[in-house]
Amino acid sequence: MGTTFDESAIDDALHELTEGEKVWAQTPLRRRRELLDDIHTRTGRFADDWVRAARTIKGLDENSPLVGEEWMSGPLTLLQAVAALSATLTALEEGRSPLDGVTTQDAPGGRVAVPILPLSGYDKLLLSGFRGEVWLRPGVDADTARRRAGLAQLDPTATGGIGVVLGAGNITSIPPLDALYELYAHNRVVMLKLNPITDPLYTVFEMVFAPLCSLGVLRIVTGGAETGNYLVHHADVAHVHMTGSANTHDTIVWGPGPEGLERKKDNRPLLDKPITSELGGVSPTIVVPGDWSDADLKYQAEHVATQRLHNGGYNCVAAQAIVVSKDWALKDRFLAELRVALAAAPQRTAYYPGSDARVADALTSYPAAEQLGSGRVLVDQLPLSDTPLLRTEYFSPVLGVVELPYAGGEFLQHAVDFANTELTGTLGANVLADPATIRTLGIGFDRAIERLRYGAIAVNTWTGLAFLAPRASWGAFPGHTLDDVQSGIGVVHNAFLLDDVERTVVYGPFRPAPRSVLRGEFALSPKPPWFVDNATAATTGRRLTEFYASGNPAKIPGIFVSALRG
């Protein structure tokens, strides 16, 4: 389908999906699993084409280490997702719960935690020192979690009509992952509309998803706002899922302009069907004061720079507000290292539409802001409330620093309060704390993590890891509504197909190997390949993709050689 609006072609595609829903209802679990396995094979086959198209979209030189981002957040992410979903279908096909063999744990507040990382020997080897778990909502016990795991695949004959997925324009695996979640978590056949930015991937996605397209349960279309508007309001469409901004969400739900604002005020939605969404926000990174070495300061500054600059800053979960203790003796040295890291990170094209205008808006709001490298803005000593950077997702390389006048555990508790009450959105929050400080804080640290109202929380890693981990849930903290949508409603990914999800929490090593081992931390991972200054990220990303495509353990030594050189 072309990029221009073609009403008759869309109607034809929706009619085909109506027929496809009947086929999907009759498709047994075994065949559904085989489709996933076929998609896995095809993803590996077309991975080079995928990354080549992504490079074109983002203006990356083929020899740039930044191409590693496209391997890891593109085909590699999809490979792991379909493999994990296939394992869930295998369990259901055999009459087992997807959680059989998984030992649930206790999480703070009487919650049940489902481990999602590491689950295999390869996880332990390739992500040494990293772990993750999905926390279920309070009151859900382990037996209930096991019984409900599988969602719509517990009754595959009960289909849910046609779901429209409005694809994201930034991370290239988002559209296919969201389409798969509609099909497998909700039993809805899917009309996937690509964001115009990602139109060069149309052919790649059609080749990867040919098995689902041939079955008649997936159609992929391109087009602009007119196409999207026609789809979401079409009588044949039962559900909408979107990734984007809260403004776009409100335009869909309430309508554009003053009329839409009036509808929202009067609670008269224009959209007459359910909608789920992932909308980003202002993500914090809380830096807990501690006795950090010079190497720690430098490494964690590079870590924060990655949290902001990965994919050029065009991530819904990119860090935007750094929260530090005004009384931390090392604060100034840390911020000096952060300035160095932001300026030294590889330069790249501002490919996402409107980026330059948003950066200009930030500079207008904060005329004293520092410009570090091309288009990168650092705003120091932000006001603690009622300031644009805390309310507006800039979706560009704009980073602010907030200083709170507390120390130790008191700082952490106030930082959590600040993140919960002063920042727009609840998608992801990061916490950096050295192991000695975590031990000293004890239950106070655990309580702080529990109190953070975010859908993904990362301790000594970046919430981007929760996006990459296939069994992690991905979405806002529960409780948002159409008229106060914040970071969205619902979750995706979640390859265990868990019900009653509250959040995902991931943990990483505070120091990379070998310093981690020398300091008594059992973590063998070097600098992660998603760091923006990782010199071998492209090679490591490609080799990881090749390994997860083939499953050939002979490829692992090459991964380590590349990773250690990064």
Side-chain angles (χ1 to χ4, degrees), residues 223-239:
E226 188 177 12
T227 299
N229 185 65
Y230 184 75
L231 281 169
V232 300
H233 295 290
H234 199 286
D236 291 345
V237 171
H239 183 272

Side-chain angles (χ1 to χ4, degrees), residues 338-475:
L338 178 58
R339 290 181 176 90
V340 170
L342 290 169
Q347 298 294 317
R348 58 189 302 161
T349 301
Y351 77 89
Y352 205 90
S355 176
D356 291 341
R358 290 188 294 274
V359 169
D361 286 345
L363 291 172
T364 298
S365 296
Y366 304 101
E370 301 173 64
Q371 297 188 62
L372 303 166
S374 177
R376 296 166 188 174
V377 175
L378 180 67
V379 185
D380 201 356
Q381 298 185 9
L382 278 168
L384 299 185
S385 62
D386 296 326
T387 188
L389 196 142
L390 307 182
R391 301 285 187 263
T392 304
E393 183 188 13
Y394 279 106
F395 212 69
S396 60
V398 175
L399 185 64
V401 178
V402 173
E403 298 184 11
L404 299 182
Y406 306 97
E410 188 179 12
F411 163 79
L412 179 56
Q413 299 309 319
H414 280 279
V416 169
D417 291 339
F418 174 82
N420 284 342
T421 60
E422 295 295 338
L423 304 181
T424 293
T426 65
L427 185 61
N430 313 286
V431 180
L432 303 179
D434 66 275
T437 298
I438 292 175
R439 287 193 297 270
T440 298
L441 293 175
I443 194 172
F445 187 84
D446 296 337
R447 172 64 175 148
I449 300 305
E450 178 196 359
R451 289 179 55 239
L452 275 168
R453 297 197 298 268
Y454 286 82
I457 300 170
V459 178
N460 290 334
T461 184
W462 176 39
T463 43
L465 176 63
F467 176 90
L468 298 174
R471 293 177 176 87
S473 60
W474 188 252

Side-chain angles (χ1 to χ4, degrees), residues 470-493:
R471 293 177 176 87
S473 60
W474 188 252
F477 196 79
H480 298 316
T481 57
L482 288 181
D483 61 343
D484 184 21
V485 74
Q486 297 277 319
S487 288
I489 298 170
V491 301
V492 290
H493 303 186

Side-chain angles (χ1 to χ4, degrees), residues 147-205:
R147 187 174 66 254
R148 293 179 180 173
L151 296 179
Q153 298 309 301
L154 295 172
D155 184 5
T157 62
T159 53
I162 298 173
V164 162
V165 172
L166 303 179
N170 56 338
I171 296 297
T172 59
S173 61
I174 293 177
L177 289 174
D178 291 351
L180 284 176
Y181 202 70
E182 282 288 289
L183 267 168
Y184 283 88
H186 301 297
N187 262 347
R188 287 190 281 263
V189 295
V190 179
M191 174 72 85
L192 170 59
K193 193 199 85 68
L194 300 183
N195 187 300
I197 299 171
T198 61
D199 281 356
L201 280 160
Y202 174 82
T203 302
V204 174
F205 288 160

Side-chain angles (χ1 to χ4, degrees), residues 38-90:
D38 195 359
I39 290 168
H40 186 277
T41 299
R42 299 175 73 85
T43 302
R45 183 184 308 162
F46 298 114
D48 280 306
D49 301 281
W50 184 328
V51 172
R52 190 178 303 112
R55 281 199 298 104
T56 300
I57 292 167
K58 300 182 181 183
L60 295 175
D61 183 272
E62 63 180 335
N63 297 315
S64 170
L66 295 173
V67 175
E69 296 177 357
E70 303 314 315
W71 285 104
M72 288 179 279
S73 62
L76 174 58
T77 298
L78 185 60
L79 284 166
Q80 294 183 89
V82 293
L85 199 50
S86 175
T88 289
L89 268 288
T90 296

